[in-house]
Amino acid sequence: MVEDEIVIRNGIKNSIEWEKEGYEFVGEASDGELALPMILKEKPDIVITDIRMPFMDGLEMSKLVKQELPDIKILILSGYDEFEYAKEAIKIGVTEYMLKPISSAKLLETLKEVSKQILAEREEKKLKKLYVQEMQENVELKKMKFFGQLISGELSFADAVNMGKEYNMNLSAQLYKIILFKFSSIATNDVQEESMLQAYEEMEKLVSQVPYVCSFQRSVEGWAFLLLAEQEEEMKEKEERFLEKLRQISMQHDDLPYFGGIGTNVCRLSELGNSFREADRAFAGRFTHDMNQIISPESLHILQEDEAFDANSFGELEQTHRVVEKFLNNGTQEEVQSFVEACLSEIPEDNFRSIMMRQYIIMDIYVVVMSFCEKINSENEQTQESAVLEENGEALKRAIARTETMDDIKIYIEALISQAIEVRNTASGRRYSDIIQTAKIQIENTYMSEEISLNSVAAGVGMSPSYFSSIFSREMGKTFVEYLTEIRMEKAKELLTCSSMKTSEIGYEVGYKDPHYFSYIFKKTQGCSPKEYRSSRKG
């Protein structure tokens, strides 16, 4: 209560039994200047204030309070029936504008209406929070796009900071660093599925507890972590602490190989692409070096020197053979470009200065790819993809013969390997249709469980949640959560039409333990409440 006339203030304060009516009277002041710090400290739901007061009037105080506590309800009492006051009050966002004198009964009546509004808004906030949590998959897809914008440098600093706020990220700092990380195992049994699910849950928990790290899921590429600090020494300490936490989680799941790449420090958000490129260069080491490492580009260079093979001898290409064959068996389309970059970077530059050696090395990669595909085609029918593969192979041979630039040849190799993986996927039935079908069956059988989640279904088909999410979205044209919600809503509509079950019982039956949340989701997706839907069916 803010009122400069003590008689009026005491009259209102003492004329109502506040606790009996369901309110707690938490403070009073004689003007806005005294009231403002009390209000910001107590954070009351409702403020009742006069307009004309010394030092700071009610409108000025209300404006400042609304800036800090936008959800607060302000009731203005005024003895001045003037339009300008009312107009300014509306502009500020005052809830009620009442003229003095006002009776206790009238004030209580107004307070009850405002209280109903507060409780309704709280319920709405709670349901919205649940909805946002459930739609986290959509948020991660948007964050993935946001990360791409950050590293491309297409956003201004102001736009990047403002967009970051949408994901609870404070991107204002003196130093930035990118770390890329991935678990590489594909689960093949129940134990590995459980281990993968636990590992991803632990990673999510970790990043939620580390305030100086912003995380982005990158589909098949795992995670990108953005570290923020103010000084070089602080960044070094934060990096070491975070990497130690990553290793601790990874060591608890020794059946899941991991790999990470560390970028350099940059001073501006617009330079984040430089840190990413360095991290990605180190991260590409996962294709050609031992797993279970988190390395910097400098460390990768040392590894390359230690493990370098003598390509001056035409027989020393077994390492390249193994790397290419391994990727053809287990790699994905999304990784082709990174793989080719990593594979060619392992070959000493001197070997590419000789036209004959360059032709030999690239032809050797061509032979490995074509041999792999011939083996597949000998066991399966010739496909359209095989024909395209042969065309790409012929194009590569012509490019080698003309000794085109390495950039051009790299493009040909990428096309060749990409088509080889397409042949592999088609021939072995791994075009994800079987994975999607398995996931759909799992959703159909467990949609009514509150425990079903993107993570649990992804583990059930032996994939990381982010990779599964991207495949499911691409193949189905909708996200996992959208599909699950669609299944639940269709079942709910069946029960609303064909049964006499209560709305709350139907919500529970289709997987929503909170009846209010079920009604919220139903109305959001179907455009009407469950009750309205049932009435329309009966009509």
Side-chain angles (χ1 to χ4, degrees), residues 114-269:
V114 174
S115 298
K116 286 180 185 176
Q117 186 180 343
I118 291 171
L119 293 173
E121 287 175 0
R122 281 181 183 169
E123 181 68 15
E124 180 78 6
K125 272 190 174 182
K126 186 183 84 171
L127 297 177
K128 277 186 178 178
K129 186 177 181 182
L130 280 172
Y131 182 74
V132 168
Q133 289 172 347
E134 191 166 279
M135 296 296 166
Q136 187 63 29
E137 179 186 9
N138 295 353
V139 173
E140 290 299 340
L141 292 173
K142 290 178 181 177
K143 279 174 64 179
M144 195 186 303
K145 182 179 178 182
F146 177 44
F147 181 72
Q149 292 174 309
L150 282 176
I151 61 175
S152 68
E154 64 184 77
L155 296 174
S156 68
F157 179 77
D159 288 341
V161 169
N162 287 331
M163 288 181 69
K165 288 177 181 176
E166 295 179 26
Y167 307 109
N168 296 317
M169 298 178 183
N170 181 3
L171 296 181
S172 180
Q174 296 292 319
L175 283 177
Y176 305 90
K177 180 192 287 279
I178 294 287
I179 294 177
L180 304 178
F181 182 85
K182 177 184 179 181
F183 288 116
S184 295
S185 178
I186 297 296
T188 56
N189 55 55
D190 291 343
V191 174
Q192 277 188 309
E193 287 176 14
E194 184 63 26
S195 182
M196 183 179 288
L197 181 56
Q198 288 178 2
Y200 275 79
E201 287 175 349
E202 287 165 16
M203 289 291 285
E204 290 174 8
K205 184 178 178 181
L206 168 62
V207 295
S208 70
Q209 294 174 340
V210 184
Y212 58 84
V213 173
C214 302
S215 72
F216 303 85
Q217 291 188 14
R218 298 178 61 231
S219 183
V220 67
E221 301 285 2
W223 285 275
F225 299 114
L226 171 58
L227 277 62
L228 299 92
E230 300 305 316
Q231 298 176 346
E232 295 273 352
E233 193 61 35
E234 180 190 351
M235 178 64 83
K236 185 177 180 181
E237 291 174 4
K238 286 181 173 180
E239 177 188 333
E240 288 174 356
R241 287 204 308 269
F242 185 64
L243 291 180
E244 181 57 31
K245 291 177 185 295
L246 287 182
R247 292 189 183 99
Q248 286 174 2
I249 291 175
S250 302
M251 287 170 63
Q252 293 170 15
H253 303 278
D254 54 9
D255 54 340
L256 301 179
Y258 69 89
F259 202 91
I262 305 168
T264 52
N265 292 343
V266 293
C267 300
R268 301 177 185 275
L269 265 181

Side-chain angles (χ1 to χ4, degrees), residues 476-489:
M476 296 295 294
K478 63 191 74 171
T479 67
F480 164 80
V481 172
E482 287 169 343
Y483 182 78
L484 173 62
T485 303
E486 193 176 280
I487 293 287
R488 285 173 162 174
M489 291 302 104

Side-chain angles (χ1 to χ4, degrees), residues 18 111 165 230 240 293 372 381 414 422 442 448 454 459 466:
W18 296 103
L111 285 171
K165 288 177 181 176
E230 300 305 316
E240 288 174 356
Q293 301 184 77
F372 175 82
E381 296 180 8
E414 286 175 10
E422 194 71 13
Q442 187 175 343
M448 69 294 295
L454 171 69
S466 56

Side-chain angles (χ1 to χ4, degrees), residues 2 35-44 47 61 65 69 72:
V2 191
L36 183 60
M38 295 169 62
I39 293 169
L40 297 181
K41 179 185 176 184
E42 295 290 344
K43 296 182 175 58
V47 169
M61 182 200 73
V65 167
L69 305 171
I72 202 168

